[in-house]
Amino acid sequence: MRARILLLIGLLSACSASDKPDNLIPEDKMITLLEEVHIAENQVNNLHMGSADSALVVYQVLEKEIFKKYSIDTAIYRASFKYYVARPEQFKAMYEKVVKDLEAKNERYLKKQRTSKPDTVKKPI
């Protein structure tokens, strides 16, 4: 019984607000990072590389560039990601924003592609 209580206390303390990382990435910046990470993943997927190892190397280069752009490192990103994942409602709301923003970016890209296509249909003489 005593061991169960100690285990329960340990689990509850693991989920408390005190596990907030010292350098937690703010929610709005984390949303932007998640968007860029997903764009990088998509870029790698579109390369259709034969080897998963090669794709991973390319992704890691892109990820490193993203982290450099935002002046963070892998440890800060992972700690922040873990923090937000432990708060499902907050994380769900963040991802809804990520999806909405990515859909808007995709729509702008498609619109730009449609308007910038040269006329490929040959006109009769």
Side-chain angles (χ1 to χ4, degrees):
M1 179 71 170
R2 186 174 177 190
R4 288 184 188 173
I5 293 173
L6 290 175
L7 179 62
L8 182 60
I9 291 171
L11 289 173
L12 291 175
S13 66
C15 297
S16 71
S18 66
D19 66 343
K20 184 176 181 179
D22 293 335
N23 42 9
L24 178 70
I25 298 169
E27 190 173 318
D28 58 335
K29 186 175 179 180
M30 189 69 178
I31 289 169
T32 303
L33 279 165
L34 290 169
E35 290 171 14
E36 292 209 25
V37 164
H38 285 297
I39 290 169
E41 290 172 345
N42 190 51
Q43 289 172 331
V44 172
N45 285 337
N46 286 337
L47 292 175
H48 303 291
M49 303 185 95
S51 165
D53 290 338
S54 297
L56 180 61
V57 169
V58 172
Y59 173 75
Q60 288 172 337
V61 169
L62 293 173
E63 183 182 58
K64 191 175 186 178
E65 290 174 7
I66 294 167
F67 292 167
K68 184 177 179 182
K69 177 179 174 181
Y70 291 96
S71 303
I72 63 165
D73 61 27
T74 305
I76 293 170
Y77 176 77
R78 287 184 180 160
S80 296
F81 189 86
K82 183 178 176 182
Y83 174 82
Y84 289 120
V85 166
R87 289 146 184 80
E89 290 302 316
Q90 182 179 10
F91 194 64
K92 180 182 176 190
M94 289 170 65
Y95 250 96
E96 287 171 354
K97 176 85 169 107
V98 169
V99 170
K100 182 180 172 187
D101 291 350
L102 288 174
E103 287 173 346
K105 286 179 183 182
N106 187 51
E107 187 56 40
R108 285 191 301 272
Y109 172 79
L110 292 174
K111 186 176 181 180
K112 184 178 177 182
Q113 290 297 102
R114 287 190 295 266
T115 59
S116 67
K117 280 188 178 179
D119 189 11
T120 57
V121 178
K122 294 187 179 188
K123 297 178 182 176
I125 299 178

